[in-house]
Amino acid sequence: MFFGRNKQKLDDKGKGKVISFLNQKGGVGKTTMCFNTAYALAQKGHKVLVVDMDPQANMSYLFGREENEKSIFNLLLNTVKELKQMHTSVIFENVVYKTEAGVDLLPSAQELSGFELCVASVNSPRQTILKKYIEQAGLRKRYDYILVDCPPTLGLLVVNSICSSDGVIVPFRPDDFSMKGLEHFYRMLGDIEDMELVELPEIITHIPNLMDSRRKQEERVIYTRLRN
């Protein structure tokens, strides 16, 4: 549905497709767009999992999930052998939340904000912990689409999301602040490519959101983005 040039590569890796929604700039409607996309895909009969990688847990709240003891944070730590002392006896089935929208959710929690500190001393690649978990849990075999809602940063949580993804959708507001955020995002993609840990995901699309057509600046930004 979303992919063009990478379709054959996705077929080789398995059925499920991992798509991250991200933007360093907050307030661009990223979480809402991810939520609506998940609901629309489920309505079309697809099996959909949403992974809430934002410690603010706004996606989890949108789906009616209150903060729980266990979250994606626990599953990620359990994937790192060097953090055995922090492992908990939870598996996917203990954490996944079945929503009324027909979408499964791996909820976030405030503890996720400490993820980067927890894995700072590990020797294994910290950038691919989420990718490793998705593979170990066989999530591509369980779901048609795995949508990842990222925090409004360019930290390790977002790097993990990108490294696990087949494609990326970038909502943005057509203003100078968002354009600066996009510049930082593409610079980070270059850094990830230099690491040679994974193949970079396909940039599926940039989606202008929350646009006010009365503002000339926003019209100018949209024109420039479409021209490029």
Side-chain angles (χ1 to χ4, degrees):
M1 177 176 291
F2 287 108
F3 297 87
R5 60 181 174 83
N6 284 346
K7 187 177 188 300
Q8 183 61 47
K9 297 173 185 177
L10 290 172
D11 290 342
D12 292 341
K13 291 193 296 184
K15 181 181 179 182
K17 303 171 180 64
V18 182
I19 303 172
S20 286
F21 289 72
L22 62 87
N23 192 316
Q24 179 190 16
K25 177 79 166 55
V28 298
K30 169 184 57 61
T31 297
T32 303
M33 191 170 295
C34 181
F35 175 88
N36 289 335
T37 302
Y39 183 81
L41 289 171
Q43 288 292 297
K44 287 183 174 292
H46 296 291
K47 296 183 67 176
V48 183
L49 173 70
V50 172
V51 182
D52 190 351
M53 288 290 284
D54 188 345
Q56 297 180 77
N58 291 330
M59 177 65 75
S60 300
Y61 296 142
L62 272 179
F63 276 116
R65 179 64 165 175
E66 298 296 332
E67 189 162 335
N68 192 40
E69 291 183 3
K70 306 303 178 186
S71 69
I72 183 62
F73 174 73
N74 303 101
L75 298 176
L76 293 177
L77 291 190
N78 285 353
T79 306
V80 185
K81 293 181 179 179
E82 296 170 76
L83 298 178
K84 189 174 182 179
Q85 73 280 4
M86 302 182 68
H87 288 186
T88 52
S89 57
V90 295
I91 58 176
F92 176 80
E93 285 73 16
N94 302 135
V95 180
V96 68
Y97 176 61
K98 306 287 186 177
T99 74
E100 294 181 359
V103 176
D104 288 355
L105 169 74
L106 282 180
S108 180
Q110 184 60 42
E111 288 78 11
L112 194 58
S113 61
F115 172 75
E116 190 161 349
L117 182 61
C118 288
V119 302
S121 61
V122 303
N123 294 318
S124 54
R126 291 170 289 167
Q127 301 90 344
T128 58
I129 294 173
L130 176 60
K131 176 180 173 65
K132 184 178 178 181
Y133 172 72
I134 289 173
E135 293 173 353
Q136 288 184 350
L139 298 186
R140 290 180 181 271
K141 298 178 181 179
R142 301 190 192 196
Y143 296 95
D144 301 316
Y145 290 97
I146 301 167
L147 307 185
V148 184
D149 184 42
C150 301
T153 69
L154 292 180
L156 189 59
L157 290 173
V158 170
V159 172
N160 265 265
S161 300
I162 292 173
C163 288
S164 69
S165 294
D166 303 301
V168 173
I169 292 177
V170 186
F172 70 97
R173 288 198 66 172
D175 57 31
D176 290 337
F177 293 111
S178 283
M179 291 301 100
K180 183 63 69 175
L182 289 178
E183 290 176 13
H184 295 161
F185 165 64
Y186 276 102
R187 233 182 343 253
M188 184 186 66
L189 282 183
D191 293 339
I192 294 174
E193 186 174 31
D194 291 341
M195 296 176 194
E196 298 184 342
L197 292 172
V198 298
E199 184 175 348
L200 286 181
E202 178 177 344
I203 307 301
I204 300 172
T205 186
H206 299 80
I207 303 179
N209 200 23
L210 304 173
M211 181 178 174
D212 185 349
S213 60
R214 296 171 298 179
R215 297 185 62 193
K216 294 297 183 183
Q217 179 193 24
E218 297 192 356
E219 287 187 1
R220 173 177 55 80
V221 170
I222 290 294
Y223 174 76
T224 302
R225 172 56 56 183
L226 290 175
R227 187 179 57 185
N228 296 334

